[in-house]
Amino acid sequence: MKIVSALLTALLLSTAISGCATAPDPAKVCTSEWISKRSDKAISRIEKKAQNTLKPLQKAGEKWAQGKQPNFIQMAMLGRSLKSLEKEVKNGQGIKDLKILSATCNDPEIISRAMDGFLRKQGLPDNIINFIEGMGLYQELIAPDPTLLNRA
């Protein structure tokens, strides 16, 4: 009886291990609909967490769109908002999900397209979006995670 139990345990373990070693075939799962659904869910997480940090960005953007310079207080709030947004983009579950999606589908542009759409959805003017997207730190934050690449 011990031999049968040991064989069943070994069989179950080998099945579980082999199941963990398989990764989805990007050609089969990475349809635009599949990517869009997961990307939207990840961006919703980021949006929910970053909601309060976007208001100062919008106010500063409105000033710049009017050709005016934001005042000192608005600039200070803008700096805090950028730091808070950085924290969410750096450590939040939404960005982690986007990075996993990007690695799964072997498409590093998934992250940048999703984040660009997120910033535009917030109603930020192009000059603010370009400023944010042009920052080296932002580029580092949205870069695909090299530890996730080529996992298959």
Side-chain angles (χ1 to χ4, degrees), residues 20-24 99-101 103-105 145-152:
C20 292
T22 60
K99 289 184 179 198
I100 290 169
L101 180 61
T104 300
C105 295
D145 186 343
T147 62
L148 296 174
L149 299 175
N150 303 322
R151 310 181 296 160

Side-chain angles (χ1 to χ4, degrees), residues 42-131:
I43 288 297
S44 290
R45 285 183 175 193
I46 294 170
E47 198 170 29
K48 193 176 201 177
K49 293 286 185 171
Q51 201 169 28
N52 291 334
T53 66
L54 294 169
K55 289 177 186 171
L57 285 173
Q58 291 167 335
K59 286 184 179 182
E62 289 169 4
K63 286 279 190 181
W64 276 316
Q66 297 168 0
K68 299 177 183 176
Q69 184 73 16
N71 64 37
F72 177 76
I73 293 172
Q74 289 172 326
M75 289 301 287
M77 290 177 70
L78 178 62
R80 283 185 44 203
S81 292
L82 288 172
K83 281 288 186 195
S84 183
L85 186 58
E86 172 192 350
K87 182 179 174 185
E88 179 56 33
V89 173
K90 194 176 205 177
N91 302 316
Q93 187 60 48
I95 197 69
K96 290 176 185 175
D97 291 348
L98 283 175
K99 289 184 179 198
I100 290 169
L101 180 61
S102 174
T104 300
C105 295
N106 196 23
D107 183 358
E109 296 297 311
I110 288 174
I111 302 168
S112 59
R113 284 192 306 262
M115 289 302 295
D116 182 75
F118 164 70
L119 294 172
R120 292 187 186 288
K121 185 178 174 186
Q122 303 313 309
L124 298 176
D126 285 341
N127 56 349
I128 294 286
I129 292 172
N130 293 337
F131 173 75

Side-chain angles (χ1 to χ4, degrees), residues 1-17:
M1 193 67 169
K2 287 184 179 182
I3 293 173
V4 172
S5 177
L7 285 173
L8 281 173
T9 302
L11 180 63
L12 287 172
L13 281 174
S14 67
T15 304
I17 291 171

Side-chain angles (χ1 to χ4, degrees), residues 23-42 97-98 100-106 110 151:
D25 179 7
K28 292 181 182 177
V29 297
C30 292
T31 64
S32 61
E33 182 181 320
W34 190 84
I35 292 170
S36 179
K37 181 179 176 181
R38 280 147 187 83
S39 177
D40 289 349
K41 185 176 179 181
D97 291 348
L98 283 175
I100 290 169
L101 180 61
S102 174
T104 300
C105 295
N106 196 23
I110 288 174
R151 310 181 296 160

